[in-house]
Amino acid sequence: MTVPDYVLRLPGPIESLPSPLPPSKSMDCKHETLIFELSSHASESEYQRPDPTKRASASSTSTARKNGPVRTDVPSSTFPAPLVLPDDALDIDPRCPPQSLRSWLRLKDRNEVTSDKNVIYVAGPPEIGSDVDLMRSWSIPQTNDRGSDVPPPSLDDVVDYLAAFYHGLPVKVLPPPKLSFANWDSTPSTKRAKGKTTKPSKASIPSFIGLNTHTECVRIRTRPSLDGKFAAQLNLDDLLDAAISILPEDAYALLLLVNQDLYEDDDDDFVCGRAYGGSRVAVISTARYNPTLDQQANVERVHAWPASHCALYVEETCRTTNASLPPKKKTKVSRQYDHDQAALSSTPTDIRSPMQQAINAYQSLPLITASSSAKTLTSLWLSRVCRTASHELGHCFGMEHCVYYACVMQSTASLAEDARQPPYLCPVDLAKMLHATGSTAEARYRTLLAFCNRHLDVQMFAAFAGWIGAVLGEE
């Protein structure tokens, strides 16, 4: 049976949509009301969320028929519903099949963790050889904005986060020799796919680059970037094949990080990450998570997670985007946004709920702007890479895209949606991960909390710390 390839970022251009809130209102938003149920747009979509009984059953190995009633669903103020905003992944692909704990356990192609294959390896970005010095500019955004002076995230920080996220398994940096890019004899090429033209490049882009491993030099296809955000891109499939070739014998999974932009098919503008789940390898690029590109990609900083659940933001996003789109055929009757329902879904009286504590921690920090320090922007960059890395490795554990809750295992269709997704695993996917790692929820949460407490200078980690503390009953 062919093991499916899992895609985190759906390829294609990022639409330049109008900001849901005017900049002045967005900057001043206090996120006073939070929405934990589906957005009003969800009724326009074909997405049907599993009901509370199915959600509760999905995280258990028991069934009501055989073993009596299953436990009730978790509070929405801890694990909200997916937002399903316009053009989100679940809006585009509403029939994405659910994967319960029981169906995950029955997967024939799922790789079990064993005593001799239990290490998660992380391979840092390959070094750039002197014969391909032109590649040094490929990871720098081609914009007039500040970017080259913001250091990329530390490999050690990414490894530390994954060690906490996948607590119970060793997470290590791939041992030497280090991977490195090298020259591959080829003729320069500036031709674009399917007759698309390209701007004249300052330096010729070779058709191939070599990737030196400890045993061979692997050919990696390259091309000029289609949207011009970077000078050149590397082929994702070639990198995944290279990752398979260097998988250590004691590895359960391997994650390869690259600083260059990626593409997969001829028509892709870019992709950020992908895993060959059955082969236990994943590759992600840090390039598009550079905060320098946020404005061009319509990436929210004011309403990134957990402020993505701000009721005003959700309402205005649905209203603004839907007003700019042609009416769909055979749509359901749209329901009006119910402020009373939003109030019931928020936590004005439950001030110690995990989501409210996350918001409190989020708002305690100053808004990250273009003038923020390089250290702060690097921390923001790190939080995005950590979230994507944990997602892609989840596919190596056999976890498919989540449709039950807002969850780090949700699929995302854009960088804008990616910023709205939480870093936590929902109850269904947490049950799978704990089964695989042999850890406990409390031990894992405490290790994640310790990591987040060392990185409280950026909203996602501060908010995650607040959320975890409330889950543990310590906030």
Side-chain angles (χ1 to χ4, degrees):
M1 177 177 178
T2 303
V3 178
D5 300 334
Y6 298 98
V7 180
L8 170 60
R9 316 292 173 230
L10 300 183
I14 300 297
E15 298 294 339
S16 180
L17 297 173
S19 177
L21 296 177
S24 60
K25 291 184 179 180
S26 181
M27 296 283 285
D28 296 335
C29 187
K30 303 300 182 185
H31 321 304
E32 293 177 347
T33 303
L34 305 180
I35 181 169
F36 299 142
E37 305 303 329
L38 298 172
S39 73
S40 60
H41 176 77
S43 63
E44 302 286 348
S45 170
E46 295 181 9
Y47 167 72
Q48 296 292 323
R49 188 188 185 199
D51 63 36
T53 300
K54 290 180 179 178
R55 295 198 297 269
S57 176
S59 61
S60 172
T61 56
S62 301
T63 62
R65 181 179 300 174
K66 293 182 178 180
N67 300 291
V70 296
R71 62 181 176 80
T72 57
D73 193 22
V74 295
S76 62
S77 57
T78 302
F79 296 102
L83 288 172
V84 195
L85 301 184
D87 294 321
D88 277 2
L90 282 174
D91 183 37
I92 297 170
D93 183 19
R95 291 186 172 86
C96 181
Q99 184 195 51
S100 67
L101 173 60
R102 293 187 299 280
S103 62
W104 176 80
L105 288 169
R106 291 194 299 265
L107 278 178
K108 294 181 179 179
D109 297 311
R110 180 174 60 84
N111 295 296
E112 291 279 3
V113 176
T114 63
S115 59
D116 58 344
K117 291 187 183 296
N118 65 349
V119 182
I120 297 174
Y121 284 101
V122 182
E127 296 179 344
I128 296 176
S130 59
D131 56 345
V132 285
D133 197 61
L134 79 166
M135 289 187 69
R136 297 189 187 281
S137 65
W138 291 7
S139 59
I140 300 174
Q142 303 294 292
T143 68
N144 295 324
D145 299 328
R146 170 188 180 190
S148 59
D149 58 340
V150 179
S154 159
L155 174 63
D156 289 340
D157 285 338
V158 175
V159 170
D160 286 349
Y161 181 82
L162 293 174
F165 192 92
Y166 288 100
H167 182 266
L169 297 181
V171 180
K172 302 178 182 179
V173 175
L174 186 72
K178 291 185 177 180
L179 303 177
S180 63
F181 289 117
N183 182 58
W184 186 281
D185 292 336
S186 61
T187 56
S189 171
T190 55
K191 183 180 179 181
R192 290 196 176 191
K194 297 188 177 180
K196 295 182 180 178
T197 58
T198 180
K199 297 178 182 179
S201 57
K202 294 181 181 179
S204 297
I205 305 301
S207 299
F208 307 104
I209 288 290
L211 177 62
N212 284 323
T213 71
H214 60 281
T215 59
E216 61 182 329
C217 185
V218 181
R219 191 188 74 170
I220 309 297
R221 285 168 286 175
T222 69
R223 73 173 189 186
S225 171
L226 293 191
D227 63 5
K229 296 297 189 298
F230 293 90
Q233 297 173 307
L234 305 179
N235 183 264
L236 178 60
D237 288 328
D238 292 347
L239 289 168
L240 283 163
D241 289 340
I244 294 172
S245 73
I246 61 173
L247 195 65
E249 289 186 2
D250 63 343
Y252 177 78
L254 178 131
L255 171 71
L256 170 60
L257 299 174
V258 295
N259 290 333
Q260 292 76 26
D261 200 27
L262 304 178
Y263 78 99
E264 190 167 16
D265 297 322
D266 287 346
D267 291 332
D268 299 344
D269 269 13
F270 68 92
V271 290
C272 289
R274 186 180 175 95
Y276 286 168
S279 298
R280 297 175 288 126
V281 296
V283 173
I284 68 169
S285 164
T286 66
R288 295 281 169 161
Y289 295 119
N290 189 328
T292 305
L293 296 169
D294 285 359
Q295 186 172 3
Q296 297 178 41
N298 196 39
V299 175
E300 271 278 347
R301 290 185 183 173
V302 177
H303 290 97
W305 184 87
S308 52
H309 290 271
C310 169
L312 178 61
Y313 168 72
V314 171
E315 177 185 14
E316 290 299 320
T317 300
C318 295
R319 179 183 300 163
T320 303
T321 309
N322 286 336
S324 65
L325 297 175
K328 296 181 180 180
K329 295 181 180 180
K330 298 182 180 179
T331 56
K332 300 178 182 178
V333 177
S334 175
R335 63 178 173 84
Q336 294 296 316
Y337 185 82
D338 189 335
H339 286 276
D340 291 335
Q341 180 182 0
L344 291 173
S345 299
S346 67
T347 57
T349 57
D350 186 10
I351 60 174
R352 306 193 73 81
S353 73
M355 283 299 295
Q356 189 62 55
Q357 290 297 325
I359 284 288
N360 293 345
Y362 184 89
Q363 289 186 296
S364 70
L365 293 176
L367 181 66
I368 298 176
T369 65
S371 61
S372 295
S373 69
K375 181 178 182 296
T376 298
L377 291 171
T378 295
S379 295
L380 174 62
W381 198 349
L382 170 67
S383 70
R384 296 168 175 177
V385 172
C386 286
R387 180 166 46 196
T388 298
S390 59
H391 174 108
E392 291 296 354
L393 282 171
H395 289 317
C396 293
F397 283 84
M399 289 189 278
E400 297 178 1
H401 287 140
C402 183
V403 302
Y404 295 100
Y405 301 90
C407 172
V408 76
M409 288 309 299
Q410 276 186 258
S411 178
T412 59
S414 67
L415 292 170
E417 183 183 3
D418 184 89
R420 296 193 290 262
Q421 304 292 42
Y424 57 73
L425 286 167
C426 76
V428 180
D429 290 316
L430 178 61
K432 300 169 191 173
M433 197 272 288
L434 295 179
H435 177 91
T437 63
S439 184
T440 65
E442 181 174 357
R444 176 178 177 273
Y445 280 142
R446 291 195 181 282
T447 309
L448 274 169
L449 181 59
F451 175 91
C452 291
N453 283 336
R454 297 194 297 270
H455 298 271
L456 295 176
D457 57 333
V458 71
Q459 276 88 345
M460 193 193 86
F461 291 132
F464 200 12
W467 186 92
I468 294 171
V471 168
L472 294 173
E474 297 180 357
E475 294 292 334

